[in-house]
Amino acid sequence: MNSHRKGTPSARFTTYIDFEEINDGLTTVGETVPLRPIDVPEETNVDEEKIEPHLLPGEIMIARANNVLKFAPLKANRTGISGTLFVTNFKVSFVTSLPVETKERDMHSRSLQNRFLGVHDVCLSEVDMVNQFSEDSAKKKRLLYNTQMPPRLSGLQLVLKSLRVINFSFKFTPTGEDIRVAQALLHHAFPTSIDHLFLSCGYAPSSPGIPDFCRPADWEHELQRTRCPNWRVSKHNEFFNLCASLPTVLVVPRDLLDAQLEQAAQHFQGTRPPVWCWGTPAGAALVRMAQISPSITDKQQENRMMGLVHRCHPMRLQPKIFDLDQILPSLKEIQISYIKLRELHTPDDPTQFWEQDRHYFSRLESSRWLSHVSKCLEVAQNAATAILHQNSSVILQDASGCDLSAVISSLVQLLLDPHVRTIRGFHCLIQKEWVALGHPFTKRLGHTRNQVEEQSPVWLLFLDCVYQVSLQHHTALEFTSEYLVALWHAAHCSLHSSFMFNSVSAKYSASDVLQRENPQQPIYLRPVWSWWAENKSIIENEQNGSDEEPLDCKTSAREAFLNVHYIQKLFKSLAISGAVRRISDPLSSAYHTWQHIDCLMGETRQLPYDPATPIVPLQLDGSLRLDTSLSNLRPWLNCFCAWLSEPAMLTLNDSESLLKDSSPASHHWSHIHEMYNTMKDLLSQNLTNGAAQ
Amino acid sequence: MAARGQRSAKRRSGCFLVMFSGVKPDKRSKVKGITQLGSRSSSSSSHSSNSNTTRSNSSSGSGGSSSSSSNNKGGGCKSHSGSSSGSSSGSGSPPAGTPPHTQMASHESLNSESKSSSLNSKLGHESGGSPSPPKSACSSTSTTSTDHHHTNHQVSHVLTATSKMTVRDGSRTLRPDEPPLVPGEQLEGTAREVTYLCPYVGPKKGTLSVTNYRLIFRSPETDPPFELEVPLGVVSRIEKVGGANTSRGENSYGIEIFCKDIRNLRFAHKQENHSRRMVTEKLLQYAFPASHKLPFFAFGYNEQYQERGWSVYEPIAELKRQGLPTESWRITRINEQYELCETYPAVWAVPAAASDNDLRNVAAFRSRGRIPVLSWIHPESQATITRCAQPLVGVSGKRSRDDEAYIQHIMDANAQSHKIFIMDARPSVNAVANKAKGGGYESEDAYQNAEVQFLDIHNIHVMRESLRKLQEVCYPHIDNSHWLSNLEATHWLDHIRCVLSGALRIADKVESHKTSVVVHCSDGWDRTAQLTALSMLMLDGYYRTIPGFAVLLEKEWLSFGHKFAQRVGHGDDRHQDADRSPVFLQFVDCVWQILKQFPHAFQFTEDMLITILDHLYSCLFGTFLYNSERERIEKEVKTKTVSLWSLILSNKADFENPLYSANTKHHVLFPRTSMRHLCLWDKYYCRWNPSMRQQEPVHIRYKELLHVKEQLEKHVDELRKELAARQTHDSPRVASAIV
């Protein structure tokens, strides 16, 4: 043992077996799996001191530990891979020359942060819990940022917010390095303030062409697109003087003077006045409103604002008010459910996995997560019905006006507005409802260690609701549930400015702080959507011996993120007689359908949409209906079990690969590609023809 | 008669229309699509489906679940138009547009109408940029129509036959209110003014007819009329509800019918009509022929099919396919007269090293003489799966040198491994308990090189109880707030998981360890059949084809004596018989779970599984009748009844999985067996419940994709030709450069 700690060469880059501290798994369920070391070429001449992590500009290495063993969760717990563990101010990086597992590679290729995080890297803000394994006891113990470190760690367990578990063993690590790494991790993963996170990496992000809803023009476009009458854009919040959680621009009733707006704002929690976020040409508006401040007893201003919403309706219909605090679970309940879900999906060893699995359904039910999803869908459905069938405006009211109202408002739009079901529209929706209108991501997702009691994964709840929509309407959404999973994972990467801040103003001030600290460096805050516009990885990937083409990676990610059945639907409208003939006529619908397909499929196009084309006006011709009863909802295994593979009961792993090959979408895709190529062929000939004439 | 075909057609077109309220359907394109797919549809048929459209449109309104559509959703109820005649072949089956019954001349147009409109509904589903709000209503409606698949299926196939008959002899014309009958079926009694108390849509008044095969209920109250038919084989028990003097209140006097396929039917009679007695008598008589010393309906059913299903399985041919005989395995006819073991088939494959005398000695030591015989042999490693019953060890721990030597022969037949696994399907406690009854399990001391493993699968009584609980949870109403925990409390999926992971373990031993496995439970005809059949399905792609699956069932289930008659209780009125148990259903559920995880690996779809299950109970075919091969030979089942495989092989297109890729044949499937990856087979268990939303199967979407592609390519081709023609005309030089 001691000789190992000094780092004998034989301990380097080999595979270790039988990590007895962590698990002794399969005894109850399966027979013992024969221990087989992975055949690894011996690389004795690598000097570990020369191994360095890939650092982004501005990223600093804080601690390193050599000869660390990394254990994949459950399946290969008995075999760890050896490498060097680094903690930087951005990530936990594990550097090894051993081949990467297929699962990890797959997940990496389908993540929105793969441009700046390697396969073995984990962004610090993704870390949810750190547990220690000490030498004397087999039990794990949670480490908090202020926990006293034991003199020696035998292992660390990271539980990530993506419900992934990674175990590291320091069995062969030189003494002292283990503690240093752990301390650095605890210190930097749970900062006191958001601007201590690594928010900017010195590369300018490519523009994804998504409006950020901080400019008057963006809201004016939205008003024009929805053709919702009697509302106006107010710039009265220009310096966040009115309300810190709202953007500088907001949409308010046309009859409301800015002075009145200011007066009204004082009466609401967070001085947040009601704002318009969507509407229909018939005049039904969707309004988000905070509760009246607890210190204010009279409801005069609230009534006044409701009266204004009422007056905005061209037919003077009474608005419907949904008091979400009354009808939906509280933030606390959502968080409690999430913690139960996390427990259920982050087992330590195969024994625990199978033990939980036996009662998976009842545990899932007792977490009440699905019942929260069901309630949200139901409320959204009711609100959508009110707008669509009764043409009445809907006021969504929740405590601060930026949590559950964001969920419901987004879902209502998803159900009613076909544009929102496209990738571009969905990005706009998130940008508008979540980013611009100030969902407090920092607090809710626990990016800092303050305000732990404010944590609540409202964002995940929303994504799960969208997942249920995608299940029930498989051709309706342009993106897949894989993309929703990626969006959940992306919310924990500090380089994605979209999901890091409590509000637009918080983002500005964080940016100011960073600028002050590094006056020489330009500060770039990158929206998550930039991923689509970038082709190249920022970090080079030559580590891990991977030589994959970035383009390939993008193609596979596209196939994972784009809904093949949606594209099939587009092709179907081209397959009707005469449509092909009109395809080069810019006035025909076939032309637009083809442009749409070309954006989604074309390899030369960067984005799955054309940011230059104007968004078509809202047409309420295809609303979705949902079955919201619990028996019709499904647990979101793709997300909850994204990293959790069933512990192997077998000696062969062929089944995994066959499973993957047989994903129904792959067959679909090959036909879709063939159709696309046929059409392209035809079009190129058409052009030749035109030229000839 | 063919009114029946219309029924689903109407329903489907109805839902298609509901869906389109609010969306502007591109009628032209749709009709075009229809004509192309359902190639025989006449113009009148598409016209009629369009007119339907308007009607349901207006009745549905915009609020979602419309009255007309919900009427259609009754508990396994159907509606039909009752206007004209014709029969539908594809009506129930999702692969619309497949014309299995080309020979039906006179009813062609209607037939294709039903097809085209079912396509309609499908197109409607996918079409338009955006589904309208009533979509959910419509998809649950179409769900309902898929709910009835199986019945539709069986009925439609059978009906086709009737129509063929009618055409053939031309002698018989049906009165409009007389239900269409299958060949051999007779109307036995009719009661009017009966009310069907549907748990979903409320009471329906109509006519109840009983034939020697089915119960048919029709209510003209709604438009389209409401229809329900149940093969009497499905009936498990019939109870009278309310006495003549005690019944008060509406609908309290009548009968309740409990079915084996997870539903109950309640009918109310009018006391003054005195119709209940006749109906009950007839029902009892024809639902339980075995208890009344009557023949099964299968012996009267005389449909002609193109394919002869009885020849799908030839024991010798199947063993030859597996490569037998080999150096170490021989084929023996020692049991030709079923003397050595009466529940085993006539032909066995046994280790070549064992003499006939050895076999006799081993039989004496195995429960009911069920000795280890070959189920499957690995084509490369020669590792085998053999099946048997428990050894007769008893409390005293008896041994048999012959049995030990025999197991050794099985091990030696596989040169790759010096070990053999004995998989005892039971929980070890049960295996020990069996010693008291003279049974038990192999001790590792006695059997050198053998390792005994217990697979923890519970006995038939536990399974029966589990299914009973499952039915309570699924039918008639689902308690949404406790759905998942209620489901878990039935332990149904837990049992499925046990069976699957047991089979997985066997497959893993054979495939990855190249080690032979002996499988047994107590008698070797329930859990053993589940395990061997499932592991063979995982190991050998042949069994995942349609004929291969038939072979698998014929071999592992029917020939090796799974007691279908006892377990299902065919035609028997002792509904509390402790020998009944859903062992086979459980197996089919496991197959479905694997199919769901590997959608490309199976040549058939779940529709075939549902059809098989429906005919497990229907007694329309001879396939599942009786307990063993011997009994079936005695009763001359093969000559006097029709095989279920005749139906399936003659209508293969209806069951084919478009996603199937034949190169998966060489793959071994290792399904995931954790609870979270198992699902309740709602398309089977919850099919009567219209509130259960079912996913449109991927294979239907795929079929549509192929169609879209074909259309697109056709249009592109046309355009190309036109272009080329124009260019030749304009400037021949350029054209030649392009073409």
Side-chain angles (χ1 to χ4, degrees):
Chain A
M1 202 56 181
N2 277 333
S3 67
H4 280 312
R5 280 197 197 162
K6 282 173 200 129
T8 48
S10 66
R12 273 172 215 162
F13 297 109
T14 33
T15 302
Y16 294 91
I17 297 159
D18 193 13
F19 180 41
E20 70 275 355
E21 288 94 337
I22 291 192
N23 125 63
D24 223 2
L26 294 163
T27 38
T28 48
V29 177
E31 61 278 10
T32 327
V33 174
L35 303 175
R36 289 191 310 185
I38 303 169
D39 294 327
V40 179
E42 198 75 14
E43 291 180 55
T44 39
N45 48 3
V46 178
D47 187 351
E48 66 196 22
E49 293 303 325
K50 284 191 185 147
I51 299 165
E52 293 296 334
H54 281 270
L55 297 179
L56 297 169
E59 191 182 354
I60 306 156
M61 203 243 284
I62 294 164
R64 69 182 289 154
N66 295 312
N67 283 328
V68 174
L69 300 183
K70 177 183 170 181
F71 291 82
L74 300 184
K75 196 158 103 193
N77 247 357
R78 287 154 183 284
T79 56
I81 53 172
S82 161
T84 312
L85 185 67
F86 298 92
V87 174
T88 74
N89 56 346
F90 172 49
K91 65 185 178 237
V92 181
S93 185
F94 183 76
V95 181
T96 179
S97 57
L98 295 173
V100 185
E101 260 190 64
T102 29
K103 172 101 183 171
E104 285 189 315
R105 184 173 297 285
D106 276 0
M107 290 298 288
H108 184 252
S109 74
R110 278 182 280 135
S111 88
L112 297 177
Q113 47 274 20
N114 56 9
R115 305 271 187 267
F116 31 80
L117 284 173
V119 190
H120 290 292
D121 297 345
V122 169
C123 177
L124 286 177
S125 42
E126 207 180 333
V127 177
D128 203 354
M129 290 196 293
V130 179
N131 297 316
Q132 68 155 84
F133 298 103
S134 55
E135 255 177 351
D136 41 345
S137 86
K139 268 194 165 173
K140 64 174 185 185
K141 192 179 139 209
R142 183 160 177 188
L143 289 176
L144 296 171
Y145 58 90
N146 49 5
T147 318
Q148 186 68 41
M149 282 285 166
R152 169 81 189 158
L153 293 171
S154 68
L156 269 190
Q157 180 183 57
L158 304 191
V159 180
L160 307 184
K161 288 169 183 162
S162 54
L163 297 176
R164 178 185 182 188
V165 181
I166 307 174
N167 294 333
F168 293 106
S169 162
F170 300 125
K171 197 170 177 179
F172 307 106
T173 306
T175 321
E177 292 183 0
D178 50 344
I179 301 293
R180 278 200 292 279
V181 159
Q183 272 168 343
L185 176 65
L186 289 170
H187 183 76
H188 290 273
F190 308 103
T192 48
S193 156
I194 190 72
D195 45 50
H196 295 175
L197 283 172
F198 191 75
L199 297 169
S200 156
C201 73
Y203 290 109
S206 313
S207 164
I210 299 294
D212 59 8
F213 286 90
C214 293
R215 295 177 308 149
D218 302 335
W219 287 98
E220 270 154 19
H221 276 147
E222 189 69 356
L223 276 171
Q224 279 162 18
R225 184 180 77 83
T226 56
R227 291 173 292 163
C228 183
N230 302 336
W231 294 83
R232 70 177 181 95
V233 171
S234 161
K235 294 170 210 160
H236 200 61
N237 197 29
E238 200 167 357
F239 306 104
F240 302 107
N241 46 336
L242 189 63
C243 170
S245 67
L246 284 173
T248 52
V249 193
L250 31 141
V251 176
V252 296
R254 199 171 55 190
D255 299 344
L256 183 69
L257 301 175
D258 282 348
Q260 293 171 316
L261 177 69
E262 196 167 333
Q263 195 191 359
Q266 303 309 319
H267 286 72
F268 289 92
Q269 282 191 29
T271 64
R272 187 180 164 109
V275 289
W276 176 96
C277 47
W278 189 78
T280 68
L286 188 61
V287 175
R288 284 169 57 178
M289 184 159 98
Q291 303 281 14
I292 284 286
S293 239
S295 57
I296 289 167
T297 43
D298 75 297
K299 295 218 158 195
Q300 189 200 341
Q301 283 298 333
E302 192 186 31
N303 292 337
R304 206 187 136 106
M305 295 310 286
M306 287 177 184
L308 277 165
V309 174
H310 185 182
R311 286 227 301 279
C312 278
H313 197 289
M315 294 162 75
R316 297 288 184 271
L317 294 176
Q318 192 71 37
K320 279 223 158 65
I321 298 152
F322 289 78
D323 187 344
L324 303 178
D325 292 335
Q326 300 294 318
I327 50 182
L328 289 179
S330 68
L331 296 176
K332 193 91 206 145
E333 286 172 290
I334 295 169
Q335 173 67 5
I336 290 169
S337 295
Y338 172 74
I339 288 173
K340 287 185 178 164
L341 268 189
R342 183 177 68 190
E343 252 165 50
L344 185 56
H345 294 96
T346 52
D348 284 332
D349 51 50
T351 322
Q352 198 189 357
F353 175 91
W354 289 111
E355 194 273 318
Q356 289 179 334
D357 193 66
R358 283 180 78 84
H359 303 288
Y360 185 76
F361 290 121
S362 57
R363 280 177 186 225
L364 190 71
E365 186 180 284
S366 65
S367 80
R368 304 190 52 76
W369 180 264
L370 271 180
S371 107
H372 300 333
V373 171
S374 162
K375 283 214 183 87
C376 288
L377 290 172
E378 192 186 329
V379 171
Q381 175 96 289
N382 292 342
T385 312
I387 291 175
L388 189 68
H389 297 303
Q390 290 145 30
N391 189 24
S392 66
S393 292
V394 164
I395 299 177
L396 302 171
Q397 194 172 25
D398 75 336
S400 58
C402 46
D403 290 303
L404 289 166
S405 62
V407 176
I408 303 301
S409 162
S410 309
L411 286 173
V412 167
Q413 293 173 56
L414 192 73
L415 294 181
L416 296 177
D417 187 343
H419 171 61
V420 169
R421 294 176 219 139
T422 63
I423 289 197
R424 184 186 184 187
F426 194 63
H427 291 176
C428 290
L429 177 84
I430 292 169
Q431 197 64 37
K432 178 175 73 167
E433 297 289 333
W434 294 83
V435 183
L437 291 180
H439 174 68
F441 282 104
T442 316
K443 282 195 278 182
R444 299 292 177 247
L445 297 180
H447 293 320
T448 60
R449 70 182 179 215
N450 317 321
Q451 300 172 303
V452 178
E453 65 291 346
E454 296 265 359
Q455 276 191 37
S456 180
V458 180
W459 174 237
L460 179 65
L461 184 69
F462 165 66
L463 293 175
D464 199 342
C465 291
V466 179
Y467 166 72
Q468 305 294 342
V469 174
S470 78
L471 266 192
Q472 297 193 10
H473 299 276
H474 55 262
T475 62
L477 306 184
E478 195 175 271
F479 43 90
T480 61
S481 62
E482 290 291 341
Y483 187 54
L484 300 172
V485 176
L487 282 177
W488 168 241
H489 293 174
H492 311 298
C493 176
S494 58
L495 281 181
H496 290 146
S497 67
S498 311
F499 307 124
M500 275 294 123
F501 303 102
N502 280 333
S503 62
V504 176
S505 68
K507 174 176 146 185
Y508 288 159
S509 47
S511 164
D512 285 348
V513 170
L514 292 182
Q515 193 66 74
R516 246 182 323 204
E517 283 171 3
N518 307 295
Q520 284 84 32
Q521 242 188 17
I523 300 298
Y524 298 113
L525 294 183
R526 144 190 319 265
V528 65
W529 324 120
S530 290
W531 181 87
W532 288 94
E534 285 158 355
N535 253 339
K536 267 237 190 79
S537 179
I538 294 174
I539 53 155
E540 271 105 77
N541 236 348
E542 87 276 1
Q543 66 163 5
N544 311 325
S546 85
D547 44 16
E548 59 188 299
E549 293 281 307
L551 197 67
D552 260 31
C553 164
K554 183 124 181 176
T555 319
S556 78
R558 270 192 180 216
E559 290 199 357
F561 290 160
L562 299 181
N563 180 5
V564 71
H565 305 296
Y566 186 92
I567 304 178
Q568 177 178 341
K569 193 169 76 179
L570 295 176
F571 269 113
K572 191 160 134 187
S573 64
L574 283 186
I576 59 173
S577 111
V580 175
R581 202 172 295 272
R582 289 189 301 270
I583 203 157
S584 19
D585 170 11
L587 293 177
S588 72
S589 66
Y591 173 82
H592 291 288
T593 310
W594 171 249
Q595 292 303 316
H596 193 163
I597 292 174
D598 197 37
C599 281
L600 292 172
M601 311 262 312
E603 264 153 37
T604 49
R605 310 266 196 146
Q606 284 207 320
L607 293 165
Y609 48 85
D610 184 354
T613 50
I615 298 169
V616 291
L618 169 67
Q619 287 192 329
L620 289 175
D621 54 0
S623 67
L624 307 178
R625 264 198 83 81
L626 298 174
D627 278 332
T628 59
S629 62
L630 271 172
S631 56
N632 282 308
L633 304 184
R634 299 280 172 269
W636 192 8
L637 292 184
N638 272 356
C639 180
F640 304 149
C641 300
W643 283 103
L644 188 62
S645 20
E646 192 175 302
M649 296 181 53
L650 309 170
T651 29
L652 281 193
N653 282 326
D654 285 355
S655 63
E656 291 248 331
S657 62
L658 183 55
L659 258 180
K660 197 175 152 241
D661 288 345
S662 69
S663 123
S666 64
H667 279 228
H668 268 84
W669 273 112
S670 64
H671 287 289
I672 294 280
H673 280 301
E674 278 173 37
M675 280 199 268
Y676 176 70
N677 290 335
T678 316
M679 293 300 297
K680 263 198 109 146
D681 248 33
L682 177 81
L683 281 172
S684 62
Q685 283 184 13
N686 251 343
L687 285 180
T688 329
N689 173 42
Q693 283 179 349
Chain B
M1 59 135 301
R4 192 92 24 120
Q6 277 265 81
R7 152 193 34 147
S8 71
K10 286 262 168 146
R11 187 179 328 104
R12 277 159 181 271
S13 56
C15 84
F16 151 59
L17 302 151
V18 174
M19 174 163 359
F20 270 101
S21 57
V23 192
K24 283 160 267 145
D26 189 343
K27 264 189 190 138
R28 204 156 67 86
S29 71
K30 205 143 295 131
V31 171
K32 175 117 187 168
I34 293 155
T35 5
Q36 254 128 17
L37 241 174
S39 52
R40 268 185 314 287
S41 84
S42 64
S43 59
S44 75
S45 73
S46 44
H47 169 74
S48 85
S49 81
N50 275 342
S51 64
N52 273 341
T53 313
T54 356
R55 185 164 44 76
S56 352
N57 228 344
S58 57
S59 74
S60 72
S62 52
S65 76
S66 68
S67 64
S68 81
S69 67
S70 63
N71 280 344
N72 293 335
K73 294 192 215 166
C77 337
K78 303 161 201 156
S79 41
H80 73 114
S81 76
S83 57
S84 50
S85 69
S87 105
S88 116
S89 59
S91 69
S93 58
T98 43
H101 304 290
T102 37
Q103 67 275 68
M104 302 171 33
S106 67
H107 304 298
E108 213 170 75
S109 72
L110 249 161
N111 186 7
S112 51
E113 182 203 334
S114 83
K115 265 184 254 161
S116 60
S117 36
S118 80
L119 176 69
N120 246 347
S121 83
K122 202 181 78 201
L123 287 174
H125 240 273
E126 301 273 354
S127 85
S130 31
S132 60
K135 186 173 173 188
S136 90
C138 97
S139 45
S140 54
T141 320
S142 70
T143 298
T144 331
S145 53
T146 43
D147 285 352
H148 302 303
H149 266 184
H150 67 290
T151 355
N152 275 349
H153 239 126
Q154 95 198 14
V155 166
S156 60
H157 289 299
V158 163
L159 275 177
T160 323
T162 332
S163 75
K164 264 189 271 173
M165 292 263 300
T166 334
V167 175
R168 213 167 31 231
D169 38 67
S171 56
R172 206 168 152 238
T173 28
L174 291 158
R175 288 202 315 270
D177 65 331
E178 193 176 327
L181 301 176
V182 304
E185 188 179 9
Q186 287 163 15
L187 199 59
E188 298 288 342
T190 301
R192 288 174 210 286
E193 286 189 278
V194 174
T195 309
Y196 168 58
L197 304 173
C198 176
Y200 305 112
V201 300
K204 290 261 167 294
K205 210 165 254 179
T207 311
L208 179 68
S209 319
V210 182
T211 74
N212 53 354
Y213 167 54
R214 272 178 301 185
L215 164 162
I216 301 161
F217 176 80
R218 279 178 174 186
S219 165
E221 269 182 1
T222 48
D223 184 27
F226 172 94
E227 182 164 321
L228 169 77
E229 341 171 313
V230 183
L232 295 179
V234 164
V235 175
S236 130
R237 91 183 128 115
I238 299 166
E239 272 185 11
K240 290 184 183 171
V241 182
N245 303 317
T246 55
S247 307
R248 285 194 184 80
E250 214 185 343
N251 297 334
S252 61
Y253 175 82
I255 52 173
E256 180 153 19
I257 299 173
F258 298 83
C259 299
K260 294 168 184 171
D261 59 354
I262 330 274
R263 59 175 160 166
N264 304 330
L265 310 168
R266 182 93 190 262
F267 293 98
H269 291 253
K270 283 209 160 145
Q271 290 193 30
E272 57 272 26
N273 288 358
H274 304 291
S275 57
R276 185 172 84 166
R277 190 166 161 198
M278 181 278 294
V279 168
T280 319
E281 249 168 39
K282 293 287 180 198
L283 280 178
L284 284 172
Q285 189 179 351
Y286 291 105
F288 308 122
S291 304
H292 290 83
K293 304 268 181 291
L294 288 170
F296 290 108
F297 179 71
F299 289 91
Y301 176 56
N302 51 11
E303 172 64 279
Q304 303 295 313
Y305 287 100
Q306 291 162 356
E307 301 284 335
R308 189 178 132 78
W310 288 123
S311 48
V312 74
Y313 173 60
E314 301 289 348
I316 303 273
E318 164 59 14
L319 287 174
K320 283 196 172 141
R321 186 192 69 83
Q322 292 191 17
L324 258 60
T326 67
E327 246 174 59
S328 2
W329 290 89
R330 68 186 176 101
I331 297 173
T332 171
R333 291 181 179 279
I334 190 172
N335 199 34
E336 189 134 40
Q337 301 304 317
Y338 306 101
E339 279 162 348
L340 193 53
C341 174
E342 61 171 7
T343 56
Y344 259 14
V347 175
W348 302 351
V350 292
S355 69
D356 281 3
N357 209 27
D358 291 340
L359 298 181
R360 286 192 188 88
N361 293 338
V362 174
F365 188 66
R366 289 278 164 178
S367 176
R368 297 169 205 270
R370 295 171 67 93
I371 75 164
V373 297
L374 182 81
S375 280
W376 191 75
I377 182 164
H378 195 287
E380 280 145 30
S381 71
Q382 305 282 300
T384 55
I385 299 174
T386 43
R387 57 180 293 170
C388 56
Q390 62 182 344
L392 299 174
V393 177
V395 206
S396 57
K398 264 186 291 182
R399 289 177 61 170
S400 157
R401 300 279 167 215
D402 293 300
D403 195 68
E404 286 158 24
Y406 187 80
I407 299 287
Q408 186 68 32
H409 290 321
I410 295 175
M411 195 196 91
D412 291 341
N414 165 20
Q416 306 266 354
S417 177
H418 300 292
K419 203 175 174 184
I420 189 163
F421 285 97
I422 298 177
M423 298 289 186
D424 190 326
R426 302 167 291 188
S428 59
V429 191
N430 298 24
V432 172
N434 258 290
K435 286 189 175 176
K437 295 183 232 160
Y441 58 94
E442 297 82 354
S443 84
E444 285 176 14
D445 297 337
Y447 294 82
Q448 296 285 306
N449 308 319
E451 185 180 327
V452 180
Q453 293 192 0
F454 297 99
L455 298 180
D456 278 325
I457 304 170
H458 285 277
N459 62 24
I460 57 166
H461 310 294
V462 177
M463 303 307 177
R464 182 179 56 236
E465 185 56 18
S466 175
L467 182 67
R468 191 190 60 74
K469 286 187 192 151
L470 183 67
Q471 171 163 4
E472 268 174 15
V473 171
C474 295
Y475 188 89
H477 296 292
I478 287 172
D479 171 11
N480 265 304
S481 52
H482 300 109
W483 165 242
L484 289 176
S485 52
N486 285 346
L487 188 62
E488 185 178 287
T490 68
H491 289 292
W492 182 256
L493 285 175
D494 212 13
H495 297 315
I496 296 282
R497 185 184 61 79
C498 268
V499 175
L500 266 180
S501 61
L504 181 66
R505 207 186 287 188
I506 295 168
D508 181 44
K509 290 282 175 269
V510 171
E511 177 68 25
S512 326
H513 296 245
K514 301 184 163 73
T515 307
S516 295
V517 181
V518 179
V519 187
H520 71 72
C521 47
S522 295
D523 289 317
W525 51 44
D526 293 314
R527 287 166 276 195
T528 303
Q530 289 177 333
L531 290 169
T532 54
L534 282 172
S535 47
M536 287 159 74
L537 195 75
M538 293 174 195
L539 288 165
D540 190 341
Y542 169 68
Y543 298 122
R544 302 193 288 261
T545 64
I546 291 175
F549 192 69
V551 167
L552 184 70
L553 294 193
E554 285 283 348
K555 178 174 152 63
E556 288 303 307
W557 286 88
L558 291 155
S559 85
F560 277 99
H562 171 70
K563 299 191 156 192
F564 278 101
Q566 268 193 8
R567 298 288 178 252
V568 177
H570 285 136
D572 184 296
D573 60 1
R574 291 169 301 147
H575 61 87
Q576 285 186 312
D577 186 357
D579 274 326
R580 291 196 187 173
S581 186
V583 177
F584 183 71
L585 167 65
Q586 206 171 35
F587 160 75
V588 175
D589 194 330
C590 291
V591 175
W592 179 80
Q593 305 282 354
I594 306 176
L595 194 151
K596 197 162 170 290
Q597 290 188 27
F598 302 93
H600 295 262
F602 288 82
Q603 196 194 3
F604 49 86
T605 61
E606 66 179 323
D607 295 315
M608 185 173 103
L609 299 178
I610 292 179
T611 304
I612 290 173
L613 284 177
D614 283 330
H615 290 297
L616 169 69
Y617 305 120
S618 76
C619 296
L620 185 65
F621 298 97
T623 304
F624 295 116
L625 298 181
Y626 305 110
N627 285 324
S628 63
E629 190 176 292
R630 200 189 109 208
E631 279 182 52
R632 280 185 279 272
I633 298 261
E634 266 169 24
K635 307 282 182 192
E636 300 170 83
V637 167
K638 278 199 180 186
T639 48
K640 292 185 172 168
T641 70
V642 180
S643 162
L644 171 58
W645 310 120
S646 303
L647 167 86
I648 286 176
L649 296 175
S650 308
N651 299 286
K652 225 171 155 181
D654 291 2
F655 303 109
E656 248 160 1
N657 175 10
L659 291 172
Y660 177 59
S661 62
N663 56 15
T664 58
K665 225 172 162 171
H666 308 293
H667 284 265
V668 177
L669 309 183
F670 291 125
R672 289 179 292 189
T673 58
S674 54
M675 282 298 260
R676 60 197 81 194
H677 290 112
L678 300 182
C679 311
L680 182 73
W681 188 10
D682 47 8
K683 198 170 168 188
Y684 182 75
Y685 300 107
C686 301
R687 58 181 159 166
W688 315 119
N689 190 338
S691 76
M692 208 54 186
R693 180 197 189 93
Q694 267 124 11
Q695 292 284 309
E696 191 197 5
V698 186
H699 65 86
I700 303 225
R701 258 175 273 164
Y702 189 71
K703 212 157 191 173
E704 194 215 51
L705 174 67
L706 296 181
H707 174 236
V708 166
K709 190 176 165 198
E710 189 190 312
Q711 289 298 306
L712 193 72
E713 276 165 1
K714 205 185 85 190
H715 292 308
V716 168
D717 251 28
E718 276 168 14
L719 198 66
R720 248 192 209 144
K721 278 192 195 123
E722 212 173 287
L723 229 117
R726 205 168 65 211
Q727 282 181 352
T728 330
H729 183 74
D730 290 351
S731 109
R733 201 167 39 85
V734 181
S736 64
I738 293 166
V739 176

